[in-house]
Amino acid sequence: MDARITKPEFDSAIPAAAVSMSSAQAVALEAMQIRDEAIGQWIRKAATAAFRAVIEFPRRRRIYDELSMLSDRELADIGLNRGDIPRVFEEKFEARARQAANGLPQGRAAAA
């Protein structure tokens, strides 16, 4: 006696399981595609940020060196002090400088 079950016998015996397995596989495939797309976007963003950092470095270094060569009085004339020089390139620094120039308190956002 042969204990093996043929494919037609299996399909006729458990048709609902075959359908649910294929839909489960479709859901798994869709989840993998979404995951792969998210990973691809993250890699593209990271590569773009790294490329921009490499391109921007000489300009940023030149500005840093020029600010460092200014006297304390010249820095005060433009609203900076020595401690501000490394922070000039922070994203929030420009917004805070604009707020200070407009006379707004540091905690409030400038009106757009």
Side-chain angles (χ1 to χ4, degrees):
M1 181 171 182
D2 191 8
R4 291 182 284 173
I5 298 175
T6 64
K7 180 161 175 44
E9 289 174 335
F10 180 79
D11 290 343
S12 66
I14 311 174
V19 170
S20 67
M21 284 179 48
S22 65
S23 65
Q25 288 173 343
V27 169
L29 180 61
E30 183 180 351
M32 285 187 284
Q33 289 172 340
I34 291 170
R35 180 203 62 201
D36 292 346
E37 184 177 318
I39 290 171
Q41 288 176 355
W42 181 84
I43 290 172
R44 279 191 296 277
K45 286 179 183 178
T48 301
F51 182 73
R52 284 186 180 149
V54 168
I55 296 299
E56 289 288 317
F57 180 76
R59 183 185 71 84
R60 293 169 65 118
R61 185 66 197 180
R62 188 179 67 246
I63 292 170
Y64 183 88
D65 290 341
E66 288 175 6
L67 287 172
S68 296
M69 286 189 279
L70 295 176
S71 70
D72 289 339
R73 182 175 173 101
E74 291 169 327
L75 286 171
D77 286 345
I78 60 173
L80 297 174
N81 59 39
R82 293 260 169 233
D84 290 335
I85 293 174
R87 294 185 10 236
V88 166
F89 300 106
E90 293 177 4
E91 292 178 20
K92 295 180 181 177
F93 183 82
E94 186 178 350
R96 279 187 254 147
R98 258 191 253 129
Q99 287 177 358
N102 291 336
L104 294 175
Q106 291 292 331
R108 296 183 64 196

